[in-house]
Amino acid sequence: MADPSAPLLTHIEDEVTSPPLSFDKIFEQSLSGFSFPQFIQIILVGLALSFDSQQIFITVFTDAYPTWHCLDHTICNPSTSDICKLPRSAWEWDGGFKGKSAISEFELECSSSFLRGLPTSAFYMGSIVGGVFMALIPDSFLGRKKLLFFSTLAMSLTGISIFFSSNLWTYALLKFVIGFARSQTGTYAINLISERVSTKWRPRATMIPFTLFVLGFMSLSGIAYLVRHASWRVLYLCTSVPAAIHSVFIYFFALESPRWLHVQGKNQEAIEVLKRLSPTNRGYLESVSSRLHSKEQPPSSSIKDLFIRKWAFRRIVVVMIIMFGLGMMYYGVPLAVRDIKVNIYLSEALNAVVELPTFVITPILLERFNRRSSVIVNCLLGGALGMLCFVMTTFGRTNIAFALELGSFFCARIGFNLMAVYMIEMFPTCVRNFATTMLRQALVLGGASCPIIASVGRNVPSISFAVFGFVVAGLGLFAFLLPETKGSSLCDTMDAQEQSDQALKSSPSC
């Protein structure tokens, strides 16, 4: 008679003798498809960028210069009079409500441009300082999910507190805190999303949060219109309260990055996350979980590795150079469009709309072409369009110049999208937050140089377009120094990334 225990013993022996599997293979196999839970998780995390974009652009409405009308027409004419040279009794704000804007409430209508722009400047200063400070937080600290939660919560609570600000200096201080808190929201969200999808779906998945960013900006205009007759503080409430509620949803419902959990040695937690992301592969995950490599000690994630390893340092420098050029064009082109002599409101609206198609085109480029060649060709094309815009403006071809301006801005946005995915694939999980932060800091620094260059256009019309085009085309050529990463899986440690770079590109796994 056959031994009834034989099948059980054979199964146990198979588990013992079966070779261990790498986490990367389990990850790619279990998430080979794109499930509905994954889509919900991407939307949940990506919404953080919608609220982030609202805080970036909210001062366009809250700090706008309100309209006014004359009370004493004997000495006042709205079309010719200087409000600062009229007695206060001779004019009034439209609607008779001084709280419609921070400018009117804090009586800044005749103050210097420095004071009027102080809240916005404080916000960007906070973003720069916060970006540097939070970049120093080790990737092993808290995790992707909790860092995103604290970032969005601090941003939203500070936004709510602006409702109670009593003077300009308190308002500017709170704007600095908002900028500081949200400085890495995009980095945390993009990394969390990219580390929860397979290599096949990464290009498409990472475009979803960028789309939500633009939609958040577009929704801000609608919200501002609905509360246009209320205090400017109400707009902060209307955007910050939903953001606070969303941060609570992140804490309770968002899943941690399985790759980050694996790097920290929490393999069972990583497997549980994969089960929730891909319920149809639960059986597969349960059968292979025992064959997963165990980590005795979480690997070091010291940021200094990016500077002492030559290949990593070279990549950081090259990426920052490219992003500096793209930042100049992305932020500078809309600023310099006034030199083309077109309707400023129409041009800014079209610049916002033209971003949406880039989120459809970018995944196509990532799936069909190499990363490196896509970046180089895009930068050269964007640079050529910028220089042609200068030429057409010189010859008075305004309509053609405006079309070229939209094209150069379009290329700048695609370039940023390409580099965002490229950057994620070039650096391992243990230092990816810091590396992505440096990308965004270079983008901001490029944007910070734009007002100086754009101001040159007042003396030499549209010369700034030529400068932006020349810079982005020249700096884009540095992509030749970067490795090709198309089809490669994400690595988790510096050693694994180094081994992957030395291996043949025909093997996509780390």
Side-chain angles (χ1 to χ4, degrees), residues 418-436:
L418 290 171
M419 287 301 298
V421 177
Y422 202 1
M423 184 76 169
I424 289 170
E425 296 173 344
M426 282 191 291
F427 291 90
T429 304
C430 60
V431 293
R432 190 170 293 124
N433 263 357
F434 177 80
T436 310

Side-chain angles (χ1 to χ4, degrees), residues 305-322 372 419 423 426-427 478-483 494 498 501-502:
D305 284 343
L306 287 172
F307 299 96
I308 62 177
R309 302 197 188 211
K310 292 183 179 179
W311 63 268
F313 181 72
R314 181 174 61 250
R315 288 184 192 180
I316 281 286
V317 172
V318 170
V319 166
M320 291 187 69
I321 290 174
I322 297 172
R372 182 170 51 200
M419 287 301 298
M423 184 76 169
M426 282 191 291
F427 291 90
F478 277 83
F480 278 114
L481 301 177
L482 297 176
M494 295 294 285
E498 200 167 276
D501 294 339
Q502 295 171 353

Side-chain angles (χ1 to χ4, degrees), residues 270-284:
I271 293 296
E272 289 301 317
V273 170
L274 292 176
K275 289 179 182 178
R276 295 180 64 180
L277 289 174
S278 182
T280 57
N281 289 317
R282 180 178 293 271
Y284 164 75

Side-chain angles (χ1 to χ4, degrees), residues 318 321-326 328-329 375-384 387 466-481:
V318 170
I321 290 174
I322 297 172
M323 289 307 300
F324 180 83
L326 288 171
M328 285 182 63
M329 176 159 280
V375 171
I376 293 172
V377 171
N378 179 79
C379 288
L380 291 176
L381 178 60
M387 287 183 275
V467 175
F468 296 144
F470 179 79
V471 170
V472 77
L475 298 186
L477 295 176
F478 277 83
F480 278 114
L481 301 177

